[in-house]
Amino acid sequence: MRLLNKITLNLLSISLFIFLFGMVAFYYVLREQVDQNINLELEKREKSINKELDSVHSTTNPTVNLSEKVLITLLDKPRPLVSFSDTLLFNPDENKYAIYRQLGFVKNIGDQSYFIQIFKPLEETDRLIVRIVMMMNLLIIIIIITLLIANRHSSRQDWKVFYDTINKINNYDVNSFEAFTLKRSDIKEFADLNRGLLTMTERIKNDYLNLKEYIENASHEIQTPLAIINSKMELLMQWGDMKEKQYKIVADAYDASNRLSRLNKTLILLAKIENRQFPESSPVNPTIMINHQLESLEDLINSKKIKVTKRFENDITIQINPYLAEILLVNLIKNAIRHNITGGDLIIELTKHSFEIANSGPPLQMDPAMLFERFHKSSSSPESLGLGLAIVQKICTLYGFKVGYNYNNEMHVMHVEFAKG
Amino acid sequence: MKILIVEDEKALSDSMVEYLGEEGHHCEAIYNYFDAIDKIGMYQYDCIVVDINLPDGNGLDLIRFIKKKSILVGIIIISALNSLENRIEGLEIGADNYLTKPFHLAELNAHLKSINRRISYGGSNQIIMNEIKLIPDEHIAFVNDKEITLTKKEYELLLFFISNKNKVITKSGLAEYLWGDYMDLADSYDFIYTHIKNLRRKLLKEGCEDYIKTIYGLGYKFESN
């Protein structure tokens, strides 16, 4: 159904219901008011009858029922034959002036013209009108409010799908592995929108996957020519009779092709982590892994005279792919050694819930938010690919770990919080 | 050592043949799966270097074939595929080593030698080079029959040098051999410099000749005649 039709239909059915209900209510309220009014008049009549009866046995003047009073006067001036008007009359019963509606008409009796006036009190009817108007206002207000509420409620039901769609679009991640699904809607526009969005996201996803596959294939294909270049260069440098200048040329070219191959390998790794190509995980004991890594970097640590402090809780295991765990830890540890100062501290803290590694060093020259960006590196080490921390972050994201950086007491602190549960 | 190289990229194959040939190995290059099966069936090799993606087959099948025939031969896989699963699968079916392209010829050479030692002598041999003696099983080194205390990395470094003696060894080749792939190599050259400085100092102290030469800009050379 079209949205417009749906809204119209909703409004129509709601108003129909409310008006039907309102009409019945209005009828009874009106009825009640009229009854009251008539009762009042009847009571007045009763009062005047009583008075009249009383006056028969007394000397007091009989009451003048103004409603029944007919005033006949001689026509003193020319008047219209029939005329309606409002007038104030003194009601001795109530001892006050009251407003009356009067009909005056001219009647010829014999050759004499008389002006005859008859009256009807307006007060009661006035009161009735005021009440009816008030009742009507109240009823209209109630109708409007109910209409608003009912309309809002039914609209919300209709628009629910729409808001759900908006929400899903906002959270859409082309990298996500969850299927992109939208709620079904019986409103044509929303159904069309969702269908369009589904086709679009599917197309985007396919394009994205194709592109990714292409890049992956390209990366793999690059490895073989790189292997050829490197091997040829290695052979070239074995020629004993090269001059220093020639060595320099070979060295530069070799370094560059090496960097390219490392870069390529690392990018493939990043892509694989992103593609979740490390599905198997097992309980890993980080303590053993850290100790092993520290051991293999021992010489380095010693050469920089770094003091290593380990604070490990006992028997910690985390559920993770062992290979990725190693890459994660190596990158963080090596990072902390590289950016350490001679004679600095290296503090590694491991608890059930987190891993923290801190190293001495001068404050960062850059925005800490940029730390985990790809290819963001400090200018001091041109050999760095600037991908180490990007890998760390990718692995953390994969496992729902939170990784953060801060600078405290002249220490750079990297903090990894393991996912709970 | 007789080595069969199964690699369809002729240029890469040629490089390996040349480098390993200079090391005194006898190398045969084969460019496809079926020729490799033929060769393996007919001749005896000490070691086979095999690429996984071959034009007419899979290198892993070749390894399965070798294992099924119970042929005693060292196997090194060289592949552009660098995933843990491939690595594990390759090693599980019986390969001795897995190198990811691009690899360093020096590294391939070092691995071949270590496999050869393991197969030929059950690993219990010694490596003797002039006054230096290494016992790979126990990771200890002697100079003039006097034990020298080396760290693990220094020992590996020395072994690598001796395996590739008289060859120019690049710094990046050393770094990757010592720390593996995926290591961001920033500062690695400094690390290597430190290692080599320490190793050289320890060797010289025991009266060892100074074999380690620096090759300008490129790396090092372990020179012995």
Side-chain angles (χ1 to χ4, degrees):
Chain A
M1 197 187 296
R2 286 189 178 280
L3 181 61
L4 200 64
N5 295 346
K6 176 93 182 172
I7 290 172
T8 317
L9 209 72
N10 271 341
L11 211 62
L12 210 68
S13 55
I14 295 166
S15 356
L16 220 65
F17 174 76
I18 290 171
F19 277 119
L20 220 68
F21 182 77
M23 225 146 73
V24 175
F26 197 59
Y27 171 80
Y28 282 104
V29 170
L30 211 59
R31 206 40 224 265
E32 173 68 22
Q33 289 302 317
V34 171
D35 280 356
Q36 265 184 35
N37 205 51
I38 289 170
N39 290 354
L40 222 67
E41 236 170 79
L42 287 173
E43 275 167 13
K44 270 190 189 156
R45 283 276 298 280
E46 180 209 5
K47 221 185 265 172
S48 73
I49 288 168
N50 274 334
K51 267 195 181 159
E52 216 169 320
L53 287 174
D54 287 347
S55 68
V56 177
H57 309 287
S58 71
T59 53
T60 47
N61 288 327
T63 347
V64 189
N65 191 344
L66 286 173
S67 308
E68 286 152 21
K69 179 172 167 179
V70 182
L71 204 64
I72 304 169
T73 44
L74 270 172
L75 191 66
D76 49 352
K77 55 183 177 191
R79 281 180 191 273
L81 281 178
V82 179
S83 67
F84 290 100
S85 62
D86 291 337
T87 185
L88 276 176
L89 289 177
F90 185 76
N91 190 336
D93 277 354
E94 287 163 15
N95 202 23
K96 64 175 187 191
Y97 283 94
I99 189 160
Y100 281 80
R101 189 78 180 157
Q102 76 165 7
L103 171 63
F105 58 96
V106 178
K107 180 81 186 164
N108 295 323
I109 302 169
D111 53 351
Q112 201 48 273
S113 293
Y114 296 95
F115 181 58
I116 307 167
Q117 290 159 286
I118 51 174
F119 307 92
K120 192 85 185 167
L122 269 184
E123 204 177 4
E124 308 301 327
T125 3
D126 243 15
R127 202 175 294 151
L128 189 67
I129 288 167
V130 167
R131 286 213 176 152
I132 289 170
V133 168
M134 268 165 57
M135 280 320 297
M136 265 171 68
N137 280 336
L138 195 70
L139 214 69
I140 287 169
I141 288 169
I142 290 171
I143 286 172
I144 288 173
I145 289 172
T146 342
L147 207 65
L148 272 176
I149 292 171
N151 193 38
R152 266 183 85 93
H153 183 75
S154 74
S155 293
R156 195 172 294 149
Q157 290 298 320
D158 294 340
W159 287 85
K160 215 176 196 165
V161 177
F162 181 71
Y163 288 122
D164 177 76
T165 303
I166 286 185
N167 197 26
K168 288 211 171 119
I169 294 171
N170 280 336
N171 295 325
Y172 182 64
D173 177 11
V174 77
N175 252 324
S176 162
F177 281 77
E178 284 152 37
F180 184 72
T181 49
L182 295 169
K183 281 191 179 152
R184 283 181 60 84
S185 173
D186 54 354
I187 294 166
K188 192 177 176 298
E189 281 87 347
F190 293 165
D192 282 353
L193 177 72
N194 284 0
R195 203 174 313 118
L197 278 172
L198 281 176
T199 333
M200 190 181 82
T201 48
E202 202 170 318
R203 208 170 46 225
I204 290 173
K205 185 124 195 167
N206 281 339
D207 285 355
Y208 177 75
L209 288 178
N210 281 339
L211 193 65
K212 222 153 77 160
E213 200 183 306
Y214 166 75
I215 292 170
E216 270 177 58
N217 288 342
S219 299
H220 274 124
E221 290 307 314
I222 287 170
Q223 300 289 67
T224 306
L226 273 174
I228 295 171
I229 295 172
N230 282 5
S231 67
K232 294 295 170 197
M233 225 109 61
E234 243 179 298
L235 288 176
L236 183 61
M237 62 182 78
Q238 305 308 336
W239 289 22
D241 51 354
M242 271 205 285
K243 293 193 180 71
E244 194 171 282
K245 210 171 162 188
Q246 289 166 315
Y247 268 133
K248 169 105 177 75
I249 291 170
V250 176
D252 286 352
Y254 186 72
D255 279 347
S257 80
N258 247 299
R259 204 153 93 202
L260 184 59
S261 68
R262 277 190 292 118
L263 191 64
N264 201 34
K265 278 183 184 180
T266 316
L267 287 175
I268 292 174
L269 174 73
L270 270 172
K272 273 188 189 154
I273 297 171
E274 250 169 41
N275 294 346
R276 306 188 181 200
Q277 282 173 319
F278 298 97
E280 62 288 310
S281 67
S282 56
V284 167
N285 185 334
T287 316
I288 297 173
M289 231 174 224
I290 294 166
N291 283 332
H292 177 75
Q293 288 306 330
L294 285 175
E295 200 181 300
S296 88
L297 294 164
E298 195 184 10
D299 297 348
L300 228 68
I301 294 169
N302 292 340
S303 78
K304 271 189 142 178
K305 298 186 175 60
I306 294 167
K307 198 176 139 245
V308 180
T309 315
K310 293 187 274 188
R311 292 184 204 132
F312 295 167
E313 272 181 20
N314 289 331
D315 302 327
I316 289 170
T317 50
I318 47 174
Q319 192 70 25
I320 189 173
N321 182 292
Y323 186 55
L324 292 184
E326 194 164 320
I327 294 173
L328 178 75
L329 292 173
V330 173
N331 273 299
L332 285 173
I333 294 171
K334 193 132 190 266
N335 206 51
I337 296 172
R338 183 194 317 150
H339 296 291
N340 219 321
I341 49 171
T342 308
D345 274 311
L346 177 70
I347 303 168
I348 304 178
E349 227 177 74
L350 182 70
T351 69
K352 263 191 192 64
H353 305 296
S354 67
F355 169 77
E356 201 172 271
I357 184 162
N359 66 279
S360 316
L364 281 185
Q365 297 295 323
M366 57 181 184
D367 181 7
M370 300 291 285
L371 264 183
F372 297 98
E373 295 279 308
R374 287 181 188 192
F375 303 118
H376 196 91
K377 51 186 176 184
S378 51
S379 50
S380 60
S381 45
E383 275 302 316
S384 165
L385 296 177
L387 287 172
L389 287 178
I391 291 175
V392 166
Q393 195 179 37
K394 273 279 165 313
I395 296 173
C396 286
T397 313
L398 180 67
Y399 287 102
F401 298 172
K402 253 186 258 161
V403 58
Y405 164 83
N406 59 60
Y407 189 70
N408 264 336
N409 297 328
E410 303 191 338
M411 301 280 276
H412 299 282
V413 185
M414 284 283 175
H415 183 90
V416 178
E417 201 168 316
F418 306 136
K420 299 238 158 58
Chain B
M1 193 172 7
K2 253 185 102 181
I3 301 166
L4 182 69
I5 294 169
V6 189
E7 160 65 61
D8 60 313
E9 283 289 336
K10 196 169 177 306
L12 185 59
S13 181
D14 287 350
S15 297
M16 288 189 273
V17 171
E18 191 175 339
Y19 191 96
L20 299 173
E22 280 173 17
E23 287 288 298
H25 303 305
H26 178 75
C27 298
E28 267 182 66
I30 289 295
Y31 308 111
N32 60 56
Y33 177 81
F34 284 104
D35 287 354
I37 295 271
D38 279 355
K39 283 275 179 187
I40 292 165
M42 279 192 278
Y43 305 102
Q44 176 74 41
Y45 297 94
D46 298 304
C47 208
I48 294 177
V49 178
V50 58
D51 184 14
I52 290 185
N53 290 324
L54 293 168
D56 56 348
N58 189 313
L60 294 176
D61 291 336
L62 198 62
I63 298 171
R64 289 190 189 99
F65 172 80
I66 291 166
K67 291 295 156 185
K68 214 172 86 188
K69 297 262 168 186
S70 308
I71 299 168
L72 183 70
V73 63
I75 300 165
I76 291 182
I77 296 174
I78 46 169
S79 171
L81 300 169
N82 183 21
S83 74
L84 195 62
E85 303 92 78
N86 291 329
R87 204 177 273 261
I88 287 174
E89 192 184 358
L91 298 179
E92 262 177 1
I93 62 173
D96 296 281
N97 226 314
Y98 191 109
L99 291 180
T100 320
K101 288 182 196 173
F103 53 89
H104 297 265
L105 293 174
E107 200 177 349
L108 175 67
N109 186 33
H111 285 304
L112 277 171
K113 284 192 174 164
S114 110
I115 289 170
N116 188 42
R117 273 196 305 275
R118 205 162 60 230
I119 292 176
S120 318
Y121 310 100
S124 63
N125 68 321
Q126 302 172 347
I127 302 164
I128 297 171
M129 205 221 77
N130 298 346
E131 65 267 47
I132 301 171
K133 185 170 80 182
L134 297 181
I135 300 180
D137 261 359
E138 294 157 51
H139 286 237
I140 45 176
F142 296 88
V143 170
N144 294 323
D145 287 327
K146 210 171 153 192
E147 192 183 336
I148 50 171
T149 329
L150 296 178
T151 64
K152 204 171 154 230
K153 293 286 167 198
E154 283 162 1
Y155 172 82
E156 283 173 23
L157 197 59
L158 183 57
L159 180 63
F160 191 65
F161 270 133
I162 291 175
S163 300
N164 290 289
K165 62 176 185 252
N166 293 323
K167 294 274 183 202
V168 176
I169 314 269
T170 58
K171 285 178 287 185
S172 52
L174 280 177
E176 271 175 43
Y177 179 76
L178 291 183
W179 289 294
D181 298 338
Y182 299 141
M183 186 70 89
D184 200 335
L185 289 190
D187 296 346
S188 283
Y189 297 173
D190 293 343
F191 299 174
I192 285 165
Y193 175 75
T194 313
H195 280 313
I196 287 177
K197 201 177 69 185
N198 291 341
L199 176 65
R200 186 187 264 154
R201 187 175 39 96
K202 286 178 184 175
L203 291 174
L204 293 179
K205 210 178 113 196
E206 295 304 325
C208 185
E209 203 184 311
D210 189 7
Y211 294 112
I212 303 172
K213 300 276 181 297
T214 307
I215 305 293
Y216 177 80
L218 266 177
Y220 303 91
K221 192 169 181 177
F222 197 85
E223 260 178 355
S224 79
N225 299 310

